[in-house]
Amino acid sequence: MNIHDLIRELHEPSTSKIVLLVADGLGGLPIEPGGKTELESARTPSLDACVREGVCGLSIPVLHGITPGSGPGHLALFGYDPLQYRIGRGILEALGIHFQVGPRDVAARGNFCTVDDTGVITDRRAGRPTTERCVAMCRKLQQIRIPGTEIFVEPVREHRFVVVFRADNLGDAVNDTDPQQTGHKPLEAKGNDDHSRATAQVASRFIAEAARVLKSDFPTNMVTLRGFARYPKIETMQDVYGLRPVAIAIYPMYKGLARLVGMEVADAGATLSDQVETLRRLWDKYDFFFLHYKYTDSTGEDGNFAAKVEMIERLDAEVPKIRALNPDVLVVTGDHSTPSKLRSHSWHPVPTLLWSKSCRSDPVTEFGESYCLRGGLGQFHAMYLLPMALANAGRLGKYGA
Amino acid sequence: MNIHDLIRELHEPSTSKIVLLVADGLGGLPIEPGGKTELESARTPSLDACVREGVCGLSIPVLHGITPGSGPGHLALFGYDPLQYRIGRGILEALGIHFQVGPRDVAARGNFCTVDDTGVITDRRAGRPTTERCVAMCRKLQQIRIPGTEIFVEPVREHRFVVVFRADNLGDAVNDTDPQQTGHKPLEAKGNDDHSRATAQVASRFIAEAARVLKSDFPTNMVTLRGFARYPKIETMQDVYGLRPVAIAIYPMYKGLARLVGMEVADAGATLSDQVETLRRLWDKYDFFFLHYKYTDSTGEDGNFAAKVEMIERLDAEVPKIRALNPDVLVVTGDHSTPSKLRSHSWHPVPTLLWSKSCRSDPVTEFGESYCLRGGLGQFHAMYLLPMALANAGRLGKYGA
């Protein structure tokens, strides 16, 4: 049985409130075996207080051994099987610049590149132009018109941009035109089915026009497109979970991911303090609040153990303000691990705490990877966290008589 | 989503090396509740050293409560869902005598039996003949010719032999001809589909010819066939996991199982010491090494607790030589449990350790069933062990952006 069908059948009206606080890349590793992780090293009195009354565990974002990107990691936390719901690169890039993708859109990631007189690529990134130049070149591309299709071109940074084709019945089974190496001409875009052939045709015309308008703009005199992706069809959290959800995030990609599953997106401010203030302001209007905290991930990616510890401590300092709002359920977790030792996302399970008045608390007294191993939630797939939160919020009825 | 499709998408080239050391039937039971298991009783300083730096857990070969045979147990460790990939009895018997089954083969297990003048079976095992007689009788059966089909008959031991039919388009949906009780004639072989009917026809002719050539060889004067099985179509580990794998095993069945998933099979010698020397010799040629150690299982099957303890200690003594090769990932586990208390395979989860530089170590300091309960891998399905090993070896890219 499809779990969404099950939950749709079981969810019940309630005035209870759930807060999902996602510390991006929360999980870590000790520098040396037997040492403490970033989270274990951090002084986290407020989180520890939640841990003592709550229940802990380790969440597996996708599958054992699989390192998730931000898309799959968040989809799982929103209660969607990340192996069933896939978000293409083009859509994620569009979300990342706050472009509001819609159901008729196919988005692709674009690269400015350099070609010689014969059309052969000599630099796949056009010598990494400045973002200013990227903006200027995108302005040129925005003049391209193709009858029957709306085209949006938006700069990302350096050589990167996003192009969105909007029309009825566009497919996304289209190959990348980037040949992945210099010394070759860009590949022709081809579609795998009728709808995708329509997209490929539009893309080919766009690329031909781009070559024309960029002709004198060496080294940014050509483009390649990759990661063609349609707006994914995803049931909303309202429909599946019966929630009125809102995202309180700062970075565009996480707002975009939240919008994909039907969350409203709040104007969150610029700091975690602003986000918590936004939470307070919106408290009466919603019943599910997704707070996204980026800096546990970015410090991990930088390989800066001490900075990640500090970012966790700053997060901890905001927890009492969240508790003061008296949520029925508070979940604190990450979308994946980002150990500063590895300087990247990783496959390691993610420390997770769930606090509610009806949880079965466990012997864990501090928040940390090795402590969570002894937690009452055990090791579980992240996509089950939201059903558990709903249950703890009194929002799920009995299955079967 | 199919996990093999996922892994195929994610694996990345690497020069890292993975050693999978399988102590057959490793898991055990204490003689008395509250006592120690074989593994917990053994002095294992080298394995314990791996445990302290590595991560432990308990693997479930198939499903909770399911006792696996050697086939499913090993398939799971090779990263194949043992419920999806099934290896028929005929193929396993053929592998067990080192017969190299191929894609056009249907193999069946044969029994010599005794029939009376009316063709009714009076002894299903022909009085358990000596293996010498089995060999002699098989020699007679090897003279049988059926146009269009190659036939191979190989002795196993006592009343048991293997027959392999080789031709294009042979199916294996054929019933056993053994009626499972005396007082009945052998059943007629019938096929469930066109290809299997072709096999049934060949098998019936073979049985009729066997009755003729064995006519004067009472009590081994007839044969029954069962477990008709085709060579299973299994994607190779090269294809799915991007590995160059080699099996360093002594017993034919394990070499055969390894060959089924595309491993090369080394000339391993006769002892564990020889196997480790083979490992050293082949170190530069492969990147995945499956070492199979039989004696933890055979002593368990014998019900000899002390001998199993001793075999574990002998295994431990070889571990430093493996560590000295500096593998990136070392996994030590079993394909199932074989508690000497039960004298048989069992369903109990299998103690497992994974050592790598990027694993998240846990508080476990000794190798053993009850210690592994507190391990960072938790309890997991054995088929996820290989993806975890790949992740730890830096061989899996990120899923999704």
Side-chain angles (χ1 to χ4, degrees):
Chain A
M1 183 184 203
N2 182 299
I3 183 170
H4 280 187
D5 291 342
L6 175 66
I7 300 287
R8 217 181 256 115
E9 216 176 89
L10 300 183
H11 69 67
E12 292 179 344
S14 168
T15 57
S16 61
K17 292 186 189 294
I18 299 169
V19 175
L20 171 66
L21 175 54
V22 176
D24 205 303
L26 178 63
L29 284 175
I31 305 274
E32 295 297 332
K36 289 187 168 187
T37 66
E38 297 91 330
L39 179 57
E40 290 165 0
S41 304
R43 232 192 116 258
T44 53
S46 300
L47 288 167
D48 296 348
C50 299
V51 163
R52 282 193 294 274
E53 296 179 12
V55 59
C56 286
L58 288 161
S59 75
I60 297 164
V62 181
L63 284 176
H64 287 288
I66 304 299
T67 296
S70 300
H74 277 85
L75 276 188
L77 294 178
F78 300 157
Y80 295 77
D81 181 352
L83 291 171
Q84 184 185 348
Y85 299 90
R86 300 186 74 165
I87 301 176
R89 150 82 41 193
I91 293 293
L92 261 189
E93 289 279 342
L95 297 179
I97 56 165
H98 215 164
F99 186 91
Q100 296 212 15
V101 282
R104 298 166 70 226
D105 294 354
V106 170
R109 149 88 176 269
N111 278 0
F112 290 104
C113 63
T114 311
V115 290
D116 65 18
D117 292 346
T118 66
V120 165
I121 295 178
T122 56
D123 187 329
R124 289 175 53 237
R125 295 182 186 84
R128 287 196 185 271
T130 61
T131 297
E132 288 67 31
R133 188 173 175 95
C134 179
V135 170
M137 294 297 109
C138 284
R139 208 163 289 142
K140 288 191 160 202
L141 297 181
Q142 283 158 3
Q143 295 157 16
I144 297 173
R145 296 284 177 273
I146 298 176
T149 305
E150 275 185 276
I151 302 175
F152 304 85
V153 181
E154 298 294 339
V156 178
R157 61 193 182 107
E158 298 178 342
H159 57 288
R160 292 159 49 191
F161 65 92
V162 167
V163 58
V164 175
F165 302 115
R166 180 173 296 167
D168 288 332
N169 298 321
L170 291 180
D172 63 1
V174 177
N175 62 286
D176 296 351
T177 72
D178 183 344
Q180 294 288 338
Q181 46 185 333
T182 55
H184 291 77
K185 290 188 182 182
L187 304 174
E188 196 188 338
K190 289 181 181 166
N192 259 351
D193 52 59
D194 285 350
H195 291 176
S196 301
R197 275 187 282 276
T199 307
Q201 209 162 29
V202 169
S204 297
R205 287 186 63 177
F206 173 81
I207 291 168
E209 286 296 299
R212 195 179 56 75
V213 301
L214 299 174
K215 201 178 178 106
S216 331
D217 289 303
F218 177 89
T220 51
N221 62 356
M222 185 50 173
V223 301
T224 57
L225 302 184
R226 48 192 249 196
F228 286 85
R230 291 196 59 192
Y231 185 80
K233 281 188 196 126
I234 303 188
E235 309 97 317
T236 65
M237 289 181 74
Q238 289 88 328
D239 170 35
V240 178
Y241 294 100
L243 292 166
R244 279 175 307 162
V246 65
I248 306 176
I250 292 171
Y251 284 72
M253 184 185 291
Y254 309 97
K255 295 183 186 181
L257 283 165
R259 207 179 277 116
L260 277 184
V261 295
M263 287 194 221
E264 289 189 35
V265 172
D267 184 9
T271 67
L272 183 59
S273 246
D274 293 344
Q275 287 174 278
V276 175
E277 176 52 29
T278 304
L279 177 69
R280 200 195 52 69
R281 182 166 51 81
L282 298 176
W283 193 247
D284 293 332
K285 221 180 140 192
Y286 299 95
D287 47 29
F288 179 87
F289 304 85
F290 158 52
L291 266 79
H292 180 265
Y293 181 65
K294 177 69 179 168
Y295 307 106
T296 32
D297 178 62
S298 44
T299 49
E301 297 248 8
D302 290 344
N304 193 334
F305 191 100
K308 187 171 173 185
V309 169
E310 194 192 327
M311 290 305 143
I312 293 168
E313 294 182 345
R314 283 196 202 168
L315 180 71
D316 186 77
E318 298 291 333
V319 169
K321 292 192 234 165
I322 299 172
R323 289 290 296 272
L325 294 168
N326 207 19
D328 297 276
V329 177
L330 171 62
V331 173
V332 185
T333 186
D335 55 338
H336 53 75
S337 292
T338 305
S340 45
K341 182 179 177 178
L342 302 183
R343 295 172 173 267
S344 67
H345 292 200
S346 80
W347 62 91
H348 302 90
V350 184
T352 300
L353 87 83
L354 186 154
W355 176 93
S356 88
K357 287 204 178 71
S358 53
C359 71
R360 182 188 285 159
S361 64
D362 55 32
V364 186
T365 57
E366 283 177 79
F367 202 26
E369 289 81 349
S370 57
Y371 319 132
C372 283
L373 258 183
R374 304 191 309 267
L377 297 178
Q379 298 202 30
F380 61 93
H381 284 285
M383 60 180 276
Y384 297 114
L385 190 53
L386 193 65
M388 287 194 276
L390 258 70
N392 277 274
R395 285 177 164 270
L396 284 187
K398 196 156 61 174
Y399 171 64
Chain B
M1 179 182 208
N2 182 299
I3 182 168
H4 280 186
D5 290 341
L6 176 67
I7 300 287
R8 215 181 258 116
E9 216 176 90
L10 299 182
H11 69 68
E12 292 179 342
S14 169
T15 57
S16 60
K17 293 188 188 292
I18 300 170
V19 175
L20 171 66
L21 176 54
V22 177
D24 205 303
L26 178 62
L29 285 175
I31 306 272
E32 294 297 331
K36 287 185 169 191
T37 66
E38 297 91 329
L39 179 57
E40 289 165 0
S41 303
R43 230 191 117 260
T44 54
S46 299
L47 288 167
D48 296 347
C50 298
V51 163
R52 282 192 294 275
E53 296 179 11
V55 59
C56 287
L58 289 161
S59 75
I60 297 165
V62 182
L63 284 177
H64 287 288
I66 303 301
T67 297
S70 299
H74 277 85
L75 277 187
L77 293 178
F78 300 157
Y80 295 76
D81 180 350
L83 291 171
Q84 183 185 347
Y85 298 90
R86 301 186 74 163
I87 300 176
R89 151 76 42 191
I91 293 293
L92 259 190
E93 289 280 343
L95 296 178
I97 55 165
H98 216 166
F99 185 92
Q100 294 211 19
V101 282
R104 298 166 69 226
D105 294 354
V106 169
R109 150 87 177 268
N111 278 0
F112 290 105
C113 62
T114 310
V115 290
D116 64 18
D117 292 346
T118 66
V120 164
I121 295 177
T122 56
D123 188 327
R124 289 176 53 238
R125 294 182 187 84
R128 287 195 184 271
T130 62
T131 298
E132 288 67 30
R133 186 173 176 93
C134 179
V135 171
M137 293 298 109
C138 283
R139 210 163 287 142
K140 289 191 159 201
L141 297 181
Q142 283 159 1
Q143 295 157 15
I144 297 172
R145 296 285 176 272
I146 298 175
T149 304
E150 276 184 277
I151 302 175
F152 304 87
V153 180
E154 298 293 339
V156 178
R157 62 193 181 110
E158 298 176 342
H159 58 287
R160 291 159 50 190
F161 65 92
V162 167
V163 59
V164 175
F165 302 114
R166 181 173 295 169
D168 288 333
N169 298 322
L170 292 181
D172 63 1
V174 177
N175 61 285
D176 297 350
T177 72
D178 183 344
Q180 295 288 339
Q181 46 186 331
T182 56
H184 291 77
K185 291 187 181 184
L187 304 174
E188 195 188 339
K190 289 181 183 169
N192 259 351
D193 53 59
D194 285 350
H195 291 175
S196 301
R197 275 187 282 275
T199 307
Q201 207 162 30
V202 168
S204 297
R205 286 186 63 177
F206 175 81
I207 292 168
E209 285 297 299
R212 195 179 54 77
V213 302
L214 300 175
K215 201 178 176 105
S216 332
D217 290 302
F218 178 90
T220 52
N221 62 356
M222 186 48 173
V223 300
T224 56
L225 302 184
R226 48 194 248 198
F228 286 86
R230 290 197 59 192
Y231 185 79
K233 279 187 198 128
I234 303 189
E235 308 97 316
T236 65
M237 288 180 76
Q238 289 90 326
D239 171 36
V240 178
Y241 294 99
L243 293 167
R244 281 176 307 163
V246 64
I248 305 176
I250 293 172
Y251 285 74
M253 185 185 289
Y254 309 97
K255 295 184 186 182
L257 283 165
R259 208 178 275 116
L260 276 185
V261 295
M263 286 195 221
E264 289 189 33
V265 171
D267 183 8
T271 66
L272 182 59
S273 244
D274 294 344
Q275 287 174 280
V276 174
E277 176 52 29
T278 305
L279 176 70
R280 200 195 53 70
R281 181 167 51 78
L282 298 177
W283 193 246
D284 293 332
K285 223 181 138 191
Y286 299 94
D287 48 26
F288 179 88
F289 303 86
F290 158 52
L291 266 81
H292 180 263
Y293 182 65
K294 178 69 180 168
Y295 306 106
T296 31
D297 178 61
S298 43
T299 49
E301 296 248 10
D302 291 343
N304 192 334
F305 190 100
K308 187 171 174 186
V309 169
E310 194 191 326
M311 292 304 144
I312 294 169
E313 293 182 346
R314 284 195 202 169
L315 180 71
D316 186 77
E318 298 290 333
V319 169
K321 293 192 235 165
I322 300 173
R323 288 290 297 273
L325 294 168
N326 207 19
D328 296 276
V329 177
L330 171 62
V331 174
V332 185
T333 185
D335 54 337
H336 53 75
S337 292
T338 305
S340 46
K341 184 178 177 178
L342 302 183
R343 296 172 174 267
S344 67
H345 291 201
S346 79
W347 62 91
H348 303 90
V350 184
T352 300
L353 85 83
L354 186 155
W355 177 94
S356 89
K357 287 202 180 70
S358 52
C359 71
R360 183 187 282 159
S361 63
D362 57 31
V364 185
T365 57
E366 284 178 78
F367 202 25
E369 289 80 349
S370 57
Y371 319 132
C372 284
L373 260 183
R374 304 191 309 267
L377 297 177
Q379 299 203 28
F380 60 94
H381 285 283
M383 61 179 279
Y384 294 114
L385 191 54
L386 194 64
M388 287 195 274
L390 258 71
N392 276 275
R395 286 177 164 271
L396 284 187
K398 198 158 62 173
Y399 170 65

